[in-house]
Amino acid sequence: MTTPTPARDRAIGLVGFDGDDTLWKSEDFYRQAEQDYLELLSHYIDVHDTGTARHLLEVQRRNLTVFGYGVKAMTLSMIEAAIEITDSRVSAAHIQRMLDIGHATLRHPVELIAGVRESVARIAEQYPVVLITKGDLFHQEAKIKVAQLHDLFPRIEIVSEKDPETYARVLAEFDLPIAQFVMVGNSLRSDIEPVVTLGGWGVHTPYAVTWAHETEHGVADDEPRMVTADTAWDWPAALDTIEAKAIAARDGKA
């Protein structure tokens, strides 16, 4: 895979894009899977309060270092959570149904979010771009293939976690100072906070649905190294704003 050459004559030399819920829809299908899971558990316990969903989230969180992210990790955590919360009363038939939920979620359609292809293509005319997405390797590769994005992204990184260490490693491979990097994404926790913490820039485009784990972050509403773009159509303008901010910071005018 070709590694794009950073634009060293600009204040911004590289633009990264998240995948799930930034380029294509994803979280909607996870939420449907969770609802199907709760419906199954209604055969054993009262699921009308928030405790059952909260328990599943707790199990998913404690399994992140073992299973990582993605549908397979969610499915294994569903089974584990169901066994715990029903005191092992959950039937083999319902465990099989949870596996079916996982299979169905893995096969969900890949739908690009409006404006993505047009805006990424426009940005790529000015800046080198890279796709940095988190999750299960096979599933992410399949979604990228179906979305037909290889023509837009000469470099694609599928990572197990999005933290400062991961971003620092990727930027080291480009031999680019973090101050010349912008990350575009829907998650303040995974796409924005690690990058601005390192001294880079972020374009935040909120998605309608966000996993509870991703809502916990330390990014201030007035973070000066972040610009909010309501839709993908707004990305080129957001990059113009950040380019101006980065020039001012570089020239000591910020």
Side-chain angles (χ1 to χ4, degrees):
M1 183 175 294
T2 303
T3 298
T5 302
R8 302 187 186 280
D9 59 334
R10 287 177 169 269
I12 296 303
L14 181 68
V15 181
F17 290 85
D18 170 51
D20 290 341
D21 300 316
T22 298
L23 300 182
W24 55 73
K25 298 179 180 181
S26 176
E27 191 61 26
D28 311 72
F29 303 103
Y30 283 85
R31 296 289 66 79
Q32 182 58 56
E34 183 178 295
Q35 289 304 309
D36 293 342
Y37 164 81
L38 293 175
E39 183 178 343
L40 286 177
L41 287 189
S42 68
H43 292 84
Y44 305 92
I45 59 176
D46 180 6
V47 297
H48 291 95
D49 61 46
T50 60
T52 309
R54 186 167 59 248
H55 175 256
L56 175 60
L57 177 62
E58 291 169 355
V59 174
Q60 288 177 296
R61 281 176 167 161
R62 79 183 185 214
N63 284 335
L64 283 175
T65 58
V66 180
F67 299 150
Y69 296 87
V71 176
K72 296 171 190 175
M74 176 196 70
T75 304
L76 289 171
S77 290
M78 281 182 175
I79 294 171
E80 182 177 330
I83 292 171
E84 286 183 359
I85 206 165
T86 66
D87 295 324
S88 300
R89 291 182 294 116
V90 62
S91 70
H94 282 143
I95 290 176
Q96 178 61 61
R97 177 63 187 127
M98 291 174 204
L99 291 172
D100 294 340
I101 291 170
H103 280 285
T105 308
L106 282 170
R107 294 192 296 268
H108 73 71
V110 179
E111 180 183 350
L112 284 183
I113 294 171
V116 160
R117 177 168 287 278
E118 296 87 346
S119 290
V120 173
R122 181 176 168 187
I123 290 167
E125 292 176 354
Q126 301 182 65
Y127 304 96
V129 297
V130 57
L131 172 55
I132 307 175
T133 186
K134 175 179 71 177
D136 176 76
L137 176 62
F138 290 164
H139 194 204
Q140 291 295 318
E141 286 181 334
K143 286 191 281 189
I144 292 166
K145 182 178 180 179
V146 173
Q148 298 181 343
L149 293 173
H150 284 92
D151 63 314
L152 293 178
F153 293 101
R155 175 75 177 266
I156 295 171
E157 289 277 342
I158 300 174
V159 300
S160 58
E161 184 59 274
K162 283 183 171 178
D163 51 23
E165 292 76 17
T166 299
Y167 285 106
R169 174 186 62 77
V170 172
L171 268 294
E173 294 179 8
F174 283 92
D175 190 25
L176 185 77
I178 186 66
Q180 289 184 263
F181 177 66
V182 180
M183 185 66 188
V184 180
N186 72 294
S187 171
L188 289 168
R189 179 190 181 103
S190 295
D191 301 319
I192 308 301
E193 184 171 13
V195 174
V196 300
T197 297
L198 290 170
W201 305 85
V203 174
H204 180 227
T205 300
Y207 189 65
V209 188
T210 303
W211 184 31
H213 176 71
E214 294 291 337
T215 63
E216 298 179 1
H217 60 83
V219 182
D221 292 340
D222 59 349
E223 166 58 52
R225 303 187 74 85
M226 179 185 76
V227 172
T228 298
D230 292 332
T231 72
W233 296 107
D234 301 313
W235 290 343
L239 262 294
D240 289 344
T241 299
I242 288 182
E243 176 77 23
K245 284 174 171 280
I247 290 172
R250 182 190 64 189
D251 297 343
K253 298 177 182 179

